[in-house]
Amino acid sequence: MGSGGSGSGYGAGGTASSASTTTSSASGSGALSLQTSTVGGQRIVVDGRGVTVYFYTLDKPGETKSACTGGCASLWPAVTSDTAPKLQGVTGKTGTVASADGRQQVTINGMPIYYYAKDTGPGQAHGQGVAGVWYVVGSDGSMIQTPLTAASGTPGMSGSSASSGTSGY
């Protein structure tokens, strides 16, 4: 039997009221910056503000446009840029495809990248594994499909003075 209801794969419930603020910041003044950060024990790609970017498994490498349209594009806004992004630590190959709204959506290794409207700040990766089709992007442009571990300190900070008296475990 077929799958019923919401088989679109862009997550369940909620509205995308915060999507517009996330989208507008990606193509503001200056070039988009993509860099790496350690989130949930994985080295992943984030933008210059530290906001996590994702792959959508329904996109296929080398396609000329995003598979995320309509309600999907509201909850998962495209990472867009009018110029080539500045890269720091990102070794995947970047390019662009047409986004749902016709803008230039950034790709890594041929796959379009997206924000998740429910990630409201740096170091968050609430979109990891949503609907079994959304995953964070590794620094080499790979899709990280394993669960991220819970942060035991400040997101993006990797092992230094996290032990100030108690172990926290």
Side-chain angles (χ1 to χ4, degrees), residues 51-70:
V51 178
T52 303
V53 301
Y54 298 88
F55 281 143
Y56 183 36
T57 60
L58 297 185
D59 285 321
K60 301 299 176 218
E63 289 291 321
T64 58
K65 63 181 184 173
S66 167
C68 181
T69 61

Side-chain angles (χ1 to χ4, degrees), residues 10 16 19 23 66 68-78 99-101 114-115 134:
Y10 55 85
T23 305
S66 167
C68 181
T69 61
C72 177
S74 295
L75 191 57
W76 298 91
S99 67
D101 64 2
Y114 305 84
Y115 292 111
W134 291 99

Side-chain angles (χ1 to χ4, degrees), residues 38-56:
T38 301
V39 175
Q42 297 284 343
R43 198 83 179 141
I44 65 169
V45 177
V46 297
D47 71 5
R49 299 167 300 134
V51 178
T52 303
V53 301
Y54 298 88
F55 281 143
Y56 183 36

Side-chain angles (χ1 to χ4, degrees), residues 72-155:
C72 177
S74 295
L75 191 57
W76 298 91
V79 176
T80 61
S81 183
D82 294 329
T83 61
K86 296 178 191 173
L87 304 178
Q88 292 180 292
V90 177
T91 58
K93 183 178 189 258
T94 60
T96 59
V97 296
S99 67
D101 64 2
R103 299 174 71 195
Q104 291 299 304
Q105 182 171 5
V106 177
T107 62
I108 299 178
N109 291 349
M111 292 280 288
I113 58 174
Y114 305 84
Y115 292 111
Y116 183 42
K118 294 182 180 181
D119 286 346
T120 58
Q124 295 180 352
H126 300 298
Q128 177 68 353
V130 167
V133 295
W134 291 99
Y135 297 101
V136 296
V137 181
S139 61
D140 62 353
S142 63
M143 184 181 299
I144 298 175
Q145 294 182 294
T146 57
L148 301 179
T149 59
S152 61
T154 306

